[in-house]
Amino acid sequence: MRWSRYFLYTLRDNPSDAEVVSHQLLARAGMIDKVAAGIYTYLPLGWRSIDKLSRIIREEMNAAGSVEVVMPCIQPAELWQESGRFQKYGRELLRIKDRHDRDFCFGPTHEEVITDFVRRRVTSYRQLPANLYQIQTKFRDEIRPRFGLMRGREFLMKDAYSFHSSAGSLDEAYRAMENAYRRVFDRCELSYTAVEADTGNIGGSESHEFMVLADTGEDAVAACECGYGANVEKATAGAIAPPPPWPGKVPAKPEAVHTPGASSVPDVAAFLKLDPAHFIKTMIVETDREFAIALVRGDDEINEVKLKNVLDATHIQLAAESKVEQVTGGAMGFSGPVGLKGIRIVADPEVMRMTVAAAGANRADYHLVGVVPGREFAPDLVADVRKARAGDPCPRCGAPLVLKRGIEVGHIFKLGTKYSEPMACNFLDEKGETHPMMMGCYGLGVGRTVAAAVEQNHDAAGIIWPRPLAPFEVELIALNPDVPAVRDAAEKLYGDLQGAGCEVFYDDRDERPGVKFNDADLVGFPVRVVVGKKGVEQGQAELSLRRDKVKVPTALPDAVAKTRELLSGV
RNA sequence: CGGGGCGUAGCUCAGCCUGGUAGAGCACACGGUUCGGGACCGUGUGGUCGGAGGUUCAAAUCCUCUCGCCCCGACCA
């Protein structure tokens, strides 16, 4: 492709709204263009990267036994009402009315549509398993889209769904998908990790996320060298170190101590000359079904996702001040588990391991010292609801956990019968009995993966594409196209490289050398071939890798072979 | 939805506080000199200052409303 006939306009300045490097570089390299918040045009160069990734995904999905379909992006509301998600999904679901005032939505995901058509065609265990995928535009009306392709509202996703007559069959597909994802990300040359994950709104039993490690990642993962890895929303830990010894005598029964104005754990701890780990931190939450109390050790934080799950809630938030007073009878900031009635109490196991503790007294400016878990209060539920911290012992091997940031590029779920049951997606087994199908679903963010690749592969000058995702493989620069010898040599090389099967982008523009070099660095194709006046006089072109920029003078007749050699090495 | 900020030329921004003929750099067009790391000189094109209303002799500037965008928080396959 000749630059002069292509549609590529690079930007000298970063767009003012681009915060992260992948957004800045994709915009400056002329790959994407913002149309509205979280909505982008893929310009020709950007689409080539997307297309390359899509091909890799198709190859691996096909190889793993999935079959491609395309479902509509506009979906009738009835299907969503049937699964119960038309109400539950919230404002993230973009609702649309047609001219007849009928309800539709722009699909944020496709469980409903696929479950609907599978149930109308598959009725026997003999037809199972089935595994279908698509690469499709989704729309999620995010509260806050940001970071360019990393978190758009409209975005490209590969989503696959599998249907099974048994848990074993589902497990088999799940592993096959996991392996397919590993192959996709391996082929993209990304540094990633697969971690255990919460299932969120999609629901289901088992779930893994594929995280590309990057400082700008929006998710935190806890990882251990033994191979354990989990989203912090999900991460557990082995037993953590007990609090330091209780200073002084342990009271025989709890004493109410006046702690004026001190309500945060560190403040009260300092006031009472205790360690934060001696406290029971008490949070009152409001879910879609009840008020509840959550207890963690004073130096821990509540993990709201875990708490939401153990409370079997779909929505959770901290209770407002007035509600706290209503529920505990005391002031906000002085809540404690002792004496509370008519409300469920969830205690973290680490709380129950405390031999003695201090806690709020449910009375303004008072704390109870000498609270013994199990004696002064009995939790309705003991469950892990604490946030894992860096340095916590790994739940598998006990070594200290490390927290890293990651970009979620893939997420696979075992859905079980979450959708097949309400939507009556059933099959007959060999005995003629009816069962809902077991389902799995497997998402992979296409645009996000390209953005993640840029996050992981760039320098101050621009993108450094991994070859499999590079829009073109070779950038050929004619430095002085007005000099006949240079133009002729460059034209010949252009033809020869194309003839040799290289994807060449030929900068034939009438621009100064500096402009061409800087643009080449910015768009970041793996191999650069420069044809200039001095070189041509000596019968040479100059080859270099974008990655290390080491210049390799090469005789013109050898340039094609050398280019291919360099390409095979990246 | 809560808190903060920004909308002025295709892009990045100044001007606004303290009202008085709409600016710079880049980009673009033309001429000339340049040409292996974002050239220089000259000439030029380009803006209903996001929109509506108000105050005023006079509004990019002050006030009100509104739309859009960005950041932090809560939220999130």
Side-chain angles (χ1 to χ4, degrees):
Chain A
M1 181 55 64
R2 290 168 194 273
W3 191 316
S4 61
R5 294 196 198 153
Y6 205 57
F7 191 92
L8 172 58
Y9 302 94
T10 58
L11 269 39
R12 186 171 293 208
D13 301 306
N14 279 326
S16 57
D17 58 2
E19 185 79 358
V20 298
V21 71
S22 63
H23 186 187
Q24 293 171 343
L25 290 177
L26 287 170
R28 278 180 51 209
M31 300 187 73
I32 60 171
D33 181 59
K34 189 170 82 168
V35 177
I39 299 176
Y40 292 85
T41 293
Y42 303 98
L43 297 169
L45 211 58
W47 184 250
R48 283 185 71 100
S49 274
I50 297 277
D51 185 55
K52 287 202 165 183
L53 174 58
S54 300
R55 286 166 194 260
I56 291 171
I57 292 169
R58 285 194 175 96
E59 284 173 21
E60 295 302 336
M61 291 302 292
N62 294 343
S66 196
V67 180
E68 187 167 12
V69 295
V70 177
M71 292 178 260
C73 56
I74 306 290
Q75 306 175 9
E78 289 88 76
L79 286 175
W80 286 72
Q81 280 153 355
E82 198 177 340
S83 72
R85 285 206 293 183
F86 198 67
Q87 300 307 321
K88 265 175 87 173
Y89 212 92
R91 285 190 298 276
E92 204 174 299
L93 182 65
L94 178 65
R95 290 145 217 263
I96 304 168
K97 280 187 190 292
D98 72 3
R99 61 164 62 186
H100 305 293
D101 217 33
R102 288 188 289 240
D103 288 314
F104 288 83
C105 62
F106 198 111
T109 173
H110 283 71
E111 282 84 3
E112 282 79 1
V113 173
I114 198 162
T115 304
D116 175 58
F117 78 75
V118 167
R119 69 181 167 184
R120 286 186 280 114
R121 285 172 177 75
V122 178
T123 53
S124 161
Y125 73 97
R126 294 176 187 232
Q127 295 168 278
L128 295 172
N131 189 331
L132 298 159
Y133 77 95
Q134 66 172 346
I135 294 176
Q136 236 272 4
T137 296
K138 312 281 190 205
F139 193 94
R140 294 189 189 165
D141 202 353
E142 297 272 357
I143 297 167
R144 191 142 90 81
R146 54 185 142 175
F147 303 157
L149 293 191
M150 258 167 66
R151 191 181 175 85
R153 294 146 91 200
E154 183 182 297
F155 58 100
L156 273 174
M157 174 164 130
K158 187 285 301 174
D159 48 327
Y161 305 87
S162 67
F163 298 81
H164 309 271
S165 58
S166 73
S169 169
L170 169 58
D171 194 61
E172 210 171 291
Y174 190 85
R175 299 302 152 207
M177 291 293 106
E178 183 180 344
N179 285 330
Y181 277 37
R182 288 185 185 281
R183 290 188 53 83
V184 169
F185 297 127
D186 283 343
R187 286 180 62 180
C188 295
E189 297 167 23
L190 289 166
S191 164
Y192 67 96
T193 180
V195 302
E196 294 175 13
D198 184 69
T199 53
N201 254 351
I202 298 286
S205 56
E206 189 176 355
S207 168
H208 284 85
E209 283 170 343
F210 289 80
M211 299 289 217
V212 167
L213 300 176
D215 293 337
T216 47
E218 290 189 280
D219 290 286
V221 298
C224 177
E225 51 196 15
C226 78
Y228 173 78
N231 190 308
V232 285
E233 293 176 347
K234 175 89 176 178
T236 58
I240 59 173
W246 187 266
K249 265 178 56 183
V250 175
K253 58 177 208 156
E255 293 168 4
V257 179
H258 191 51
T259 52
S263 75
S264 77
V265 167
D267 289 354
V268 190
F271 186 84
L272 294 175
K273 301 201 165 43
L274 291 171
D275 191 274
H278 289 130
F279 283 78
I280 296 174
K281 189 183 283 183
T282 305
M283 309 296 269
I284 293 85
V285 297
E286 181 177 3
T287 74
D288 47 302
R289 41 205 291 172
E290 64 181 337
F291 286 98
I293 304 283
L295 308 176
V296 292
R297 212 170 77 177
D299 55 337
D300 273 331
E301 298 291 330
I302 301 265
N303 180 326
E304 290 189 20
V305 174
K306 288 182 184 176
L307 183 60
K308 184 181 83 172
N309 290 337
V310 303
L311 290 173
D312 201 22
T314 55
H315 180 77
I316 192 167
Q317 63 182 41
L318 287 175
E321 184 164 359
S322 60
K323 305 282 189 181
V324 170
E325 288 167 10
Q326 190 183 321
V327 167
T328 67
M332 178 119 151
F334 298 93
S335 301
V338 181
L340 293 181
K341 296 216 162 48
I343 181 167
R344 281 212 290 171
I345 297 178
V346 181
D348 187 82
E350 293 295 339
V351 169
M352 302 314 288
R353 289 177 65 227
M354 298 167 79
T355 52
V356 59
N362 295 321
R363 180 180 165 198
D365 293 333
Y366 278 89
H367 279 78
L368 292 179
V369 175
V371 174
V372 177
R375 185 181 74 182
E376 265 76 51
F377 67 93
D380 299 87
L381 210 55
V382 176
D384 176 13
V385 291
R386 67 185 284 275
K387 260 187 202 160
R389 290 181 294 179
D392 282 354
C394 168
R396 290 201 193 142
C397 75
L401 289 174
V402 181
L403 292 188
K404 298 175 182 172
R405 300 206 68 80
I407 302 162
E408 180 193 350
V409 289
H411 200 159
I412 59 178
F413 301 77
K414 285 185 183 173
L415 294 175
T417 59
K418 183 177 164 98
Y419 298 91
S420 53
E421 209 165 291
M423 295 185 68
C425 180
N426 299 323
F427 69 98
L428 291 179
D429 67 12
E430 47 275 70
K431 294 176 203 148
E433 289 170 5
T434 297
H435 304 281
M437 296 180 200
M438 309 279 288
M439 290 174 60
C441 87
Y442 318 94
L444 194 162
V446 180
R448 187 181 276 192
T449 299
V450 169
V454 175
E455 287 292 328
Q456 245 177 28
N457 299 285
H458 67 270
D459 62 16
I463 304 172
I464 306 172
W465 285 109
R467 183 185 177 187
L469 298 183
F472 290 89
E473 297 177 319
V474 179
E475 171 133 349
L476 171 64
I477 297 178
L479 277 190
N480 323 88
D482 51 320
V483 175
V486 170
R487 195 188 56 235
D488 292 348
E491 290 286 339
K492 178 165 188 322
L493 248 186
Y494 177 51
D496 290 350
L497 284 165
Q498 282 185 318
C502 295
E503 294 179 357
V504 195
F505 195 68
Y506 174 24
D507 190 348
D508 59 341
R509 295 175 302 169
D510 179 22
E511 287 287 355
R512 297 173 61 81
V515 171
K516 295 187 176 186
F517 288 141
N518 280 305
D519 275 340
D521 287 348
L522 178 59
V523 299
F525 306 152
V527 172
R528 190 182 81 180
V529 178
V530 177
V531 177
K533 199 165 66 180
K534 287 177 205 151
V536 166
E537 283 165 6
Q538 297 164 28
Q540 286 186 332
E542 173 194 279
L543 276 55
S544 61
L545 287 180
R546 173 65 181 85
R547 198 170 52 203
D548 57 23
K549 297 193 179 181
V550 176
K551 294 170 184 172
V552 183
T554 305
L556 282 167
D558 302 334
V560 171
K562 185 68 184 169
T563 298
R564 295 183 55 166
E565 185 190 321
L566 285 173
L567 270 176
S568 65
V570 294

